[in-house]
Amino acid sequence: MKRHSFAFILTLLWLLGGCGTKQNQQENLVNMTRTQFDALLDSDKLILVDFYADWCGPCKKMTPYLEEIKTEMSDKVTLVRINTDDNPELAQQLSIEGLPTLLLFKNKSLVWQNVGYIPKEEVVKQLN
């Protein structure tokens, strides 16, 4: 059986929506390793990853509708939001060069990506 770090387990619990306050949940996604990121992709659901930064205007504009998608499509999609300022190594390893960047994974494979602002309707099209 694989042994995982406490921080990794907290990250998984956060993604499943069952651990800690919002502030603590955000702290759990600091310094995520590539191994931890790859483990998040192990799901029967689609995984929508949002790479963002707090200072990014388009990122802020997309946040409300991404939260709506997270709620409205929770049976089909898992939304993972990763702050690039808190995870610079991971962003570099995944070649994230612009913000916001959305990555959509299905069965651990990247099936779609977008760099820059995109309207909710266009994201939802990719998820259906």
Side-chain angles (χ1 to χ4, degrees), residues 62-75:
M62 289 171 55
T63 297
Y65 82 67
L66 288 172
E67 291 299 323
E68 289 172 4
I69 288 172
K70 179 180 178 178
T71 302
E72 295 166 358
M73 301 182 79
S74 63
D75 59 326

Side-chain angles (χ1 to χ4, degrees), residues 9-118:
I9 292 169
L10 287 176
T11 299
L12 290 176
L13 288 171
W14 176 82
L15 290 169
L16 296 173
C19 183
T21 66
K22 186 172 185 174
Q23 180 179 357
N24 288 340
Q25 292 167 353
Q26 293 299 326
E27 290 171 4
N28 292 335
L29 292 178
V30 174
N31 297 321
M32 179 183 287
T33 66
R34 179 64 190 259
T35 301
Q36 291 168 328
F37 178 81
D38 290 342
L40 296 175
L41 304 179
D42 191 15
S43 174
D44 294 335
K45 292 184 184 182
L46 295 169
I47 307 293
L48 180 62
V49 184
D50 172 31
F51 284 92
Y52 74 98
D54 292 333
W55 49 263
C56 169
C59 301
K60 290 178 184 179
K61 191 173 178 181
M62 289 171 55
T63 297
Y65 82 67
L66 288 172
E67 291 299 323
E68 289 172 4
I69 288 172
K70 179 180 178 178
T71 302
E72 295 166 358
M73 301 182 79
S74 63
D75 59 326
K76 176 179 198 174
V77 178
T78 299
L79 173 66
V80 178
R81 299 195 71 231
I82 299 176
N83 187 323
T84 57
D85 289 337
D86 293 337
N87 297 280
E89 249 183 76
L90 180 63
Q92 182 180 17
Q93 291 170 354
L94 295 171
S95 300
I96 304 302
E97 296 181 357
L99 297 178
T101 293
L102 296 178
L103 303 176
L104 181 62
F105 292 88
K106 182 177 183 179
N107 300 321
K108 299 182 188 179
S109 296
L110 180 64
V111 295
W112 176 78
Q113 63 184 0
N114 184 81
V115 179
Y117 179 82
I118 183 172

